[in-house]
Amino acid sequence: MSKTNKDILIRLQNVWKTYTMGANKVHALRNMNFEAKRGEFVAIMGPSGSGKSTMVNLVGCLDIPTKGEIFLKHQNIAHLSESKLAQIRGQTIGFIFQQFNLIPTISALENVMLPMTFQNMVRSEREKRAAKLLDLVGLGDRLHHRPTELSGGQQQRVAIARSLSNDPELILADEPTGNLDSKTGVNVMSFLEKLNREQGKTIVMVTHDEKLSHIAERVAHLMDGQIINETRPTAKERRQSFLHSGLAPKESSISKKS
Amino acid sequence: MIRDIITYAVNNLRNRKMRSWLTVLSILIGIAAIFTLVSFGQGLSSYVNGLASKMGTDKIIALSSKSLTSGINEELFFTQDEVNLLGKVKGVAELSPNYLKGVQVTKDKKVVYSFGIGMSTGKDRRLVEEVFTVDIIRGRALKTGDRNKVVLGYNYLVPDKIFKKPVKVGDKLDINGRLFEVVGFFDELGNPSDDRNVYFTYAGFESLFPDLKDRYYQIIMRSSADTVPATVAARAKEKLRKYRGLKEGEENFDIQTFEQALQTFTSIITVINSILLLIALVSLIIAGVNIMNTMYTAVLERTKEIGIMKAVGAQNKDILVIVVVESSLLGVIGGIIGVMLGWGISSLGGKIAAGAGYALLSPVFPLWLILGCIFFGGGIGALAGYFPARSASRLRPVDSLRYE
C-alpha cells in the first residue's frame, strides 16, 4: 500500500455522542468533523474528558454515534448491526490499548492468534502467523508465556503483534505508552512509526504527550468534544521528537507483508 | 475454531478449580442418582422379560386371594371341585394345583420359618417348574410315593444363608416335628422368600396338614395352543365367580395370565422408579441453577475479556458459543463422573442385593444409558449456560472494555 494513495479512509461527519447521566445530558462529542487519509499517521491530543477516547471508540466500531455519520473505507458505519461492526473490527482495525488488554489466561501466542480465530483462519496458519508477528516485535522467545509473565513493555508488544494479526488497514492506539516507562514507551512508538512508514498502515493515536504526538504527520487538538485545531509538526519538530524519543529514523527490521 | 473454544473453556474452568468442581459435584450427584435408578430399573425389567420368555405366554395362574399382594386366607383356598371345574373350562389344556402353608424347619437346633408347598409329582409338575422357571440343580425331583421326602429351595445350599452349614442331599430335616429326607434342590429364583421354600408331594403335605387336604392356594393352568390365554383366563374367572355365586367385580380370587401378573408387578416397579427419577430430576434442576449461577459469575468476572474479544472481532454468536461450551463442559464432566459414580453404586448395590438373595435386583448398564446420562449432563449445562451466555454476548464492547 503506497502512501501516495491518499484517499480518505476515515470520515466523521457532524458526529455527536451524548451520554445521559441522570437528568443531565453530557455531550462527549459535539458536531465533530474529521478526516484521515489512507496511510496517514494522526495523533489526537487533548486534555482528559475532551472526547479523545470516545472518538477513537467510534472510529473503531466499538460504539455508535448518537447523531451524524461515520465512514470507514467509504462505508457508513454509524447505523450498522453489532455483528457487522464486529466483522469490520476483526478485518479492518487493529487496537492497541493503554491497558494492553491481553487475555491473562492464555499465552502470548494464543493472544495474537485470537483475532484470526474469529476470522476462521485455519489453526496451523494462525499459529505460524502469530509466531512470525511475535518474532517481529522481538518476542520470538516468549511465545508460550502468559501476559502476567511478561513486563509491561513486552505485553504492549504482544498487543501490537495482536493488532497486526489480521493485517488491518487501520491501527487505533489509545494512549499506547500511557502505562509504560519512557524508555519502553519510546520502543513502542518506534514500532508504530515503522508500521506507518514501512507498511503504510493508517494510524490514529490518542496521546497527551505533546512531544510524542510530533511523531505523527498531523495532530488534531480536541477540547470539549470538538476539534479546535489541527497542526502538522514541522520537519524540525519531528526530528526533535525522534531525538527526544531516542529514535532516529533508520532502516527497520519490519518487512512488508507478502 | 471449536478446538480453540474448548481449550479456552478448559483453561477458564481450571482457573477457578474450586468453583468448577463444586458445580460439577452438584450435577454429578443428580446424574449418578438417575444412572443408578435406571440401571436397576432396566435390570429388573430385563429380569422380568427373561422370566416371561422362559415361562412362556400360555400360562394362567389362579390365586385364592384377590391379588398377588393380598395375604393368604385359607378360607378362600380352592376346593377339589373348583379345581375340577377349572379343568373343564374351554381352552384349559392342563392344570396343576398347589398347596401352601407356613412350616417350621429345624436343623442343628436352629429353627427357621418358610413356606411349604405341596406340588404334583405327575406330568403336570413340569407346569409348576416352568412357571417358576426352576430346574433341579442337585439331587432329583419328587416322585409319587415320596411321602417323607422334600425338595428344597436354593438358599439351603448356601452356607450361612439359612443354616450355618449347607444342607446336603440325603440329610434329614425336622419339619413341624417330623423328619423328612432331602432328595433335591431347585435352582435360584432370585428372591429370598421363594428360595427358601420347602417342596412336598401332595401326600407328604397332606400327612403334615390333614386339614388342608384338597384345599389349594393356587392353580397353575396352561391354555391350549389355539386359544388366546387372556380369553381363557377371563372365561375361567367368570366360571368360578358364578360357581361361587359372586357378582362381577366382587371376586375373592384372581385368575390372570402370567404376562398380566408380571405386567402388574412391572407397573408397580415403574411407578416407584418414576417417583425416584422425579426426585433425581429435581436435583438436576437445582444443579442447572447452580451452573447458571456459576456462569453468571464467570461472565461478570470476564466482562473485560469479553470486551477484548469483541474488540478483536468476536461476534455476539462467538461469545454465546464460548460461554455455552464452557457450561456444557461442566455438565459433560458432571455427566461422566456421575456415570462412573452411578456405575459404582449400582454394582455395589447389585452385589449387596445378590448377597441378600435378591438376584432379581441386578443392574444392567446399556450403552444408551451411559451416553444418555453424559449427553443429558451436557444438555443441562448448555441450557443453564444459555442465559448467562446471552447476556454476555449482548455486552457492548465499549462498556465491557471499561469494566474493571
Side-chain angles (χ1 to χ4, degrees):
Chain A
M1 201 177 302
S2 155
K3 252 188 172 183
T4 52
N5 181 13
K6 293 271 184 186
D7 59 334
I8 307 291
L9 185 70
I10 306 164
R11 195 165 94 230
L12 273 68
Q13 206 175 293
N14 309 111
V15 168
W16 289 76
K17 184 69 192 178
T18 309
Y19 296 102
T20 309
M21 297 201 165
N24 298 332
K25 287 200 165 173
V26 178
H27 301 290
L29 296 185
R30 304 159 183 264
N31 201 26
M32 179 177 278
N33 290 289
F34 173 82
E35 274 182 8
K37 295 188 178 99
R38 206 160 251 160
E40 240 191 329
F41 190 153
V42 187
I44 313 286
M45 282 278 298
S48 44
S50 59
K52 307 185 293 285
S53 291
T54 304
M55 180 182 163
V56 169
N57 288 340
L58 289 177
V59 173
C61 300
L62 291 170
D63 206 353
I64 46 171
T66 313
K67 240 182 352 189
E69 312 300 335
I70 300 172
F71 295 90
L72 192 64
K73 289 165 78 177
H74 306 293
Q75 184 184 13
N76 191 343
I77 57 166
H79 312 288
L80 291 180
S81 68
E82 169 51 31
S83 78
K84 200 84 195 134
L85 290 175
Q87 261 174 24
I88 296 175
R89 286 197 296 268
Q91 290 162 1
T92 314
I93 303 165
F95 288 95
I96 302 167
F97 302 95
Q98 180 179 357
Q99 308 285 350
F100 321 138
N101 283 352
L102 299 174
I103 292 182
T105 51
I106 58 179
S107 68
L109 187 75
E110 287 165 324
N111 264 290
V112 179
M113 281 161 69
L114 197 63
M116 297 182 267
T117 308
F118 295 122
Q119 300 306 316
N120 293 322
M121 198 187 280
V122 293
R123 193 182 168 89
S124 56
E125 210 173 304
R126 273 186 279 148
E127 233 164 44
K128 218 167 93 189
R129 178 156 169 77
K132 200 170 141 194
L133 286 168
L134 280 167
D135 196 44
L136 192 74
V137 296
L139 292 172
D141 55 345
R142 294 281 191 278
L143 301 185
H144 301 290
H145 286 58
R146 290 193 175 187
T148 45
E149 296 161 344
L150 300 172
S151 71
Q154 288 171 326
Q155 287 188 51
Q156 195 59 304
R157 281 189 277 157
V158 174
I160 292 174
R162 179 182 65 185
S163 76
L164 295 171
S165 63
N166 282 330
D167 192 23
E169 283 175 62
L170 173 63
I171 290 180
L172 294 175
D174 193 351
E175 305 260 14
T177 60
N179 261 12
L180 303 173
D181 61 67
S182 56
K183 195 172 160 228
T184 321
V186 159
N187 209 334
V188 164
M189 287 305 295
S190 81
F191 275 117
L192 293 182
E193 195 275 333
K194 280 175 201 160
L195 281 174
N196 172 252
R197 178 161 44 87
E198 297 181 3
Q199 292 195 19
K201 302 282 183 206
T202 310
I203 298 180
V204 175
M205 176 183 77
V206 168
T207 183
H208 56 251
D209 184 327
E210 176 130 33
K211 284 192 174 120
L212 275 182
S213 77
H214 289 159
I215 289 179
E217 296 164 68
R218 182 157 63 98
V219 184
H221 296 267
L222 258 70
M223 181 71 87
D224 297 330
Q226 285 177 315
I227 295 174
I228 48 169
N229 72 342
E230 287 192 22
T231 56
R232 287 182 180 274
T234 60
K236 192 180 164 196
E237 277 173 329
R238 290 198 83 187
R239 205 163 46 243
Q240 271 176 349
S241 170
F242 279 112
L243 285 175
H244 156 81
S245 64
L247 294 171
K250 59 183 174 188
E251 286 313 304
S252 161
S253 59
I254 299 177
S255 51
K256 279 200 172 182
K257 243 179 57 71
S258 52
Chain B
M1 172 134 174
I2 194 72
R3 190 182 139 192
D4 298 271
I5 290 175
I6 290 171
T7 315
Y8 177 69
V10 169
N11 271 339
N12 283 321
L13 295 179
R14 272 204 200 138
N15 281 321
R16 44 189 166 89
K17 267 198 194 91
M18 189 57 159
R19 232 185 307 152
S20 301
W21 279 122
L22 287 174
T23 314
V24 164
L25 186 67
S26 74
I27 190 157
L28 78 85
I29 290 169
I31 295 284
I34 288 181
F35 186 86
T36 305
L37 289 170
V38 176
S39 69
F40 273 114
Q42 286 298 308
L44 203 60
S45 79
S46 76
Y47 174 86
V48 169
N49 289 338
L51 220 56
S53 74
K54 266 195 274 175
M55 69 171 56
T57 53
D58 57 350
K59 307 295 186 301
I60 296 166
I61 184 169
L63 265 187
S64 60
S65 53
K66 265 189 187 166
S67 70
L68 272 172
T69 47
S70 36
I72 296 159
N73 185 352
E74 287 176 10
E75 298 283 305
L76 299 174
F77 277 12
F78 301 114
T79 63
Q80 189 60 50
D81 288 345
E82 288 173 335
V83 173
N84 296 341
L85 180 86
L86 290 175
K88 283 183 212 137
V89 170
K90 195 177 156 220
V92 174
E94 59 176 331
L95 83 177
S96 182
N98 289 322
Y99 286 128
L100 181 106
K101 177 84 180 172
V103 292
Q104 177 186 313
V105 185
T106 313
K107 183 180 179 265
D108 300 332
K109 288 181 185 155
K110 194 186 170 194
V111 179
V112 298
Y113 295 90
S114 52
F115 281 117
I117 291 169
M119 60 183 283
S120 169
T121 47
K123 212 177 108 236
D124 56 321
R125 187 194 78 217
R126 198 60 224 153
L127 211 54
V128 180
E129 289 175 358
E130 265 175 44
V131 162
F132 291 107
T133 61
V134 280
D135 291 306
I136 295 287
I137 56 157
R138 200 165 295 179
R140 61 164 177 87
L142 290 165
K143 292 190 300 206
T144 317
D146 281 347
R147 198 163 177 271
N148 292 317
K149 297 192 167 79
V150 290
V151 164
L152 299 179
Y154 177 81
N155 281 357
Y156 290 92
L157 282 173
V158 184
D160 286 327
K161 199 97 195 208
I162 295 174
F163 294 116
K164 200 164 168 38
K165 276 206 281 186
V167 181
K168 299 190 297 291
V169 172
D171 280 2
K172 296 220 161 156
L173 279 185
D174 177 330
I175 299 169
N176 283 22
R178 255 184 60 196
L179 283 180
F180 285 83
E181 187 192 335
V182 178
V183 294
F185 292 90
F186 275 125
D187 198 0
E188 189 175 15
L189 279 162
N191 81 70
S193 145
D194 287 342
D195 280 330
R196 63 191 292 163
N197 284 346
V198 179
Y199 299 87
F200 300 88
T201 58
Y202 287 145
F205 189 90
E206 287 161 6
S207 69
L208 210 51
F209 306 106
D211 290 354
L212 284 178
K213 186 169 160 42
D214 295 340
R215 306 281 295 170
Y216 301 101
Y217 168 67
Q218 66 183 12
I219 306 163
I220 314 282
M221 295 177 263
R222 187 168 62 77
S223 54
S224 42
D226 54 344
T227 56
V228 180
T231 317
V232 177
R235 204 180 291 146
K237 194 171 180 177
E238 191 191 350
K239 198 140 192 182
L240 191 59
R241 176 173 63 79
K242 283 185 177 156
Y243 180 80
R244 287 192 176 184
L246 300 168
K247 283 189 195 141
E248 199 171 349
E250 289 180 1
E251 294 90 345
N252 49 14
F253 63 93
D254 194 22
I255 299 178
Q256 54 180 329
T257 67
F258 252 88
E259 271 200 315
Q260 290 167 333
L262 282 177
Q263 267 166 18
T264 315
F265 177 69
T266 316
S267 61
I268 292 168
I269 298 288
T270 308
V271 168
I272 295 170
N273 221 357
S274 307
I275 292 168
L276 291 173
L277 269 178
L278 207 67
I279 296 168
L281 277 175
V282 169
S283 85
L284 274 184
I285 292 171
I286 296 167
V289 173
N290 201 1
I291 291 185
M292 208 183 280
N293 184 27
T294 304
M295 292 315 295
Y296 266 118
T297 317
V299 163
L300 194 67
E301 280 173 348
R302 293 214 298 274
T303 301
K304 184 151 189 172
E305 230 169 277
I306 291 164
I308 296 168
M309 287 198 261
K310 286 198 158 187
V312 302
Q315 298 192 18
N316 290 3
K317 64 175 166 56
D318 297 324
I319 304 293
L320 191 86
V321 169
I322 286 170
V323 179
V324 167
V325 163
E326 200 171 310
S327 66
S328 306
L329 214 56
L330 281 173
V332 167
I333 295 170
I336 292 171
I337 301 176
V339 164
M340 294 197 289
L341 184 70
W343 191 305
I345 293 172
S346 295
S347 306
L348 192 70
K351 276 199 184 113
I352 291 170
Y358 290 94
L360 78 168
L361 284 179
S362 111
V364 293
F365 308 110
L367 188 65
W368 64 260
L369 178 62
I370 297 164
L371 295 181
C373 277
I374 294 170
F375 278 119
F376 193 49
I380 287 176
L383 204 67
Y386 176 73
F387 294 99
R390 203 178 54 166
S391 69
S393 75
R394 287 178 180 175
L395 286 171
R396 284 168 12 114
V398 69
D399 296 332
S400 32
L401 276 172
R402 226 180 275 140
Y403 188 87
E404 289 297 334

